[in-house]
Each structure stands twice: as C-alpha cells, then as structure tokens.
Amino acid sequence: MADTSIRLHKPNLPPPGEAFSLSDAQAHYLANVMRLAEGDTIRIFNGDAGEWRAAITKISRKAAVLKTVAQTRPPAPEPDAWLCFALLKRQKTDMVVEKATELGVSVIQPIITARTNADHVNLERLRAIATEAAEQCERLHVPEIREPMQVMKLMADWPDRPLYVADERRTANLLGPATGPSAVMIGPEGGFTDQELEAIARTPLITRVSLGRRILRAETAAIAGLALLLAASP
Ligand code: SAH
C-alpha cells in the first residue's frame, strides 16, 4: 500500500467516503501503466471539491473504484484570465493550450481571422491536453476551452472585461499584471487586417499592449502574454 503522488482530475466527486469510479483511460493508466493495487492512494481534484487523497478499493485492467480519505486542499478561486488567440496549426495549438494551462489561464477562446489558415479544432483533444496539464501543474481548475469564433463576432459581443490586445508595432506599453478579470488577445502570424483592427479599436475596454521589443511568433506571444499577465497573481 503506497501513497503515490499521482494526481487525477475527476469532475463531480461524490460526498466524502462514497465510492466513485474513474474513466476507462484513467483506470488503464493506474492499473496497467502505474501498476497500482488496492489500498494504494492517489490525489483527486476538481474546482468545486478541491483536492482529496483517495484510496483504491477495486482495480482491474479497465475499471477503478476509489474512496476519498482526506482533503489535501480546500477549493480555492484561481485567476480569471482569458486567452483569445488566432488559431494555429495543430501542434502549435496543442502547445499553446498546454502552456496556457500551466500559466493559469481560465478560458481559452480560439479565434478565426481573415489571415488564419485553420478554422477547426478537436475540442475533445484540446480538453484532454488541458486536463493533463492541470494535473501536472497542481491547479485545481481545468480551463474552459471554447469553440473557435470569428474575431469580428467576438468583438461585437465582447463582455464587460478588460481586453489587452498584443500589438507588435512597438508603440504600446508593456503588458502588466492583471488585477481582476482580464483577457489577452494574440493575432495571427500574418497580422490582423485593417478591418479587424478597426473593429478591435471600437470595442470598449480594450488596451493595445506590447510584449517586448522583438516580434514574437504567435505561440511565443501567447505564452509571454499570459506570463506577464499572471506570473504575480495568487
Ligand atoms: N504582424 C506581423 C507579425 C505577427 S506576430 C506580421 O505580419 O508578420 C503574431 C501576433 O503575435 C501579433 O498579432 C501580436 O498579437 C503578437 N505579437 C508578436 N510580437 C509581439 C510584441 N513584441 N508585442 C506585442 N504583440 C506581439
């Protein structure tokens, strides 16, 4: 019987002491990859329940049943920072989702622009990447990943939330730490069109910001932007 450092996300945890099962993939991971046995413990978490140590009561190749033993962290709020970024090729999108989760993003909103080549994402796959990153980096919340949206529509429906638009033209001030709900927006490799820039400029609550002196690749800009916005937040 071992207390392992394995940490898995489980939405809708039942009340303490009640048995619950994990997904097939999680059961496979515990049984076949990590070779855990009955009595071993792992950590289970979600945003509502916090984090709990849980003991395995039954395990086979395809199913795992556990029971919570003790709370290891109470639920706690996390920063409310969105990332809106022009959709990238698959590998780069995967990387942005993983790194944004590690940096503490709360919502990921892929955007489609006139100069974006991709318009489709596999949301299930991106959600799995975000879940694994949250498990690894000790977060309690898995960020929400939204369906891609046209930038013009996103701007037309923009909510009551400060939006920092990363602008590589070197005229804006450096992006600083967020003090409340916020969002950062990163454009496509080819830049926004004039029409898009006008729509962005007309949106209330937007500020153009710099991410430093050099022109960054879009994926670097997404990561640097969230680091500047979130590195100092609790
Ligand atoms: N407009 C350029 C480069 C686009 S870089 C071109 O046409 O080639 C892709 C996106 O990264 C930009 O839209 C911007 O949002 C962001 N970005 C890159 N470097 C930046 C910097 N130094 N400051 C602010 N934003 C930056």
Side-chain angles (χ1 to χ4, degrees), residues 166-168 185-191 209-212 214-216 218 221:
D167 183 334
E168 70 280 12
M185 184 154 82
I186 308 297
E189 283 305 341
V209 293
S210 164
L211 303 174
R214 285 153 297 274
I215 307 279
L216 307 173

Side-chain angles (χ1 to χ4, degrees), residues 33-205:
V33 181
M34 302 311 294
R35 304 194 166 276
L36 298 195
E38 281 160 27
D40 290 341
T41 72
I42 64 171
R43 289 176 296 156
I44 292 287
F45 70 97
N46 68 50
D48 297 324
E51 186 189 78
W52 291 75
R53 188 151 285 281
I56 298 173
T57 56
K58 241 188 243 163
I59 190 156
S60 66
R61 294 186 142 268
K62 284 206 180 112
V65 181
L66 292 89
K67 238 187 222 177
T68 47
V69 179
Q71 193 172 46
T72 45
R73 278 169 69 190
E78 289 182 352
D80 180 8
W82 298 6
L83 170 67
C84 306
F85 75 106
L87 208 46
L88 298 160
K89 289 196 185 129
R90 194 174 94 164
Q91 269 191 332
K92 289 184 171 182
T93 296
D94 289 357
M95 185 183 67
V96 166
V97 168
E98 181 183 282
K99 303 309 172 200
T101 303
E102 291 171 29
L103 289 163
V105 77
S106 60
V107 168
I108 297 178
Q109 172 68 71
I111 56 180
I112 298 163
T113 73
R115 297 189 184 133
T116 306
N117 297 321
D119 64 358
H120 176 78
V121 292
N122 180 339
L123 280 181
E124 210 178 309
R125 176 191 157 79
L126 293 183
R127 286 174 182 146
I129 291 172
T131 302
E132 273 189 31
E135 290 171 344
Q136 178 275 324
C137 77
E138 303 275 335
R139 283 185 68 166
L140 290 176
H141 295 256
V142 176
E144 177 189 339
I145 301 182
R146 299 203 174 151
E147 289 279 2
M149 196 191 246
Q150 292 285 343
V151 69
M152 300 299 276
K153 177 160 171 44
L154 184 71
M155 292 299 94
D157 299 344
W158 189 254
D160 183 19
R161 164 180 300 263
L163 171 60
Y164 301 104
V165 179
D167 183 334
E168 70 280 12
R169 287 170 298 174
R170 298 191 190 169
T171 50
N173 290 326
L174 189 68
L175 175 59
T179 51
S182 62
V184 62
M185 184 154 82
I186 308 297
E189 283 305 341
F192 288 113
T193 63
D194 288 344
Q195 192 201 11
E196 288 165 348
L197 287 173
E198 278 162 32
I200 292 167
R202 276 197 307 274
T203 306
L205 295 177

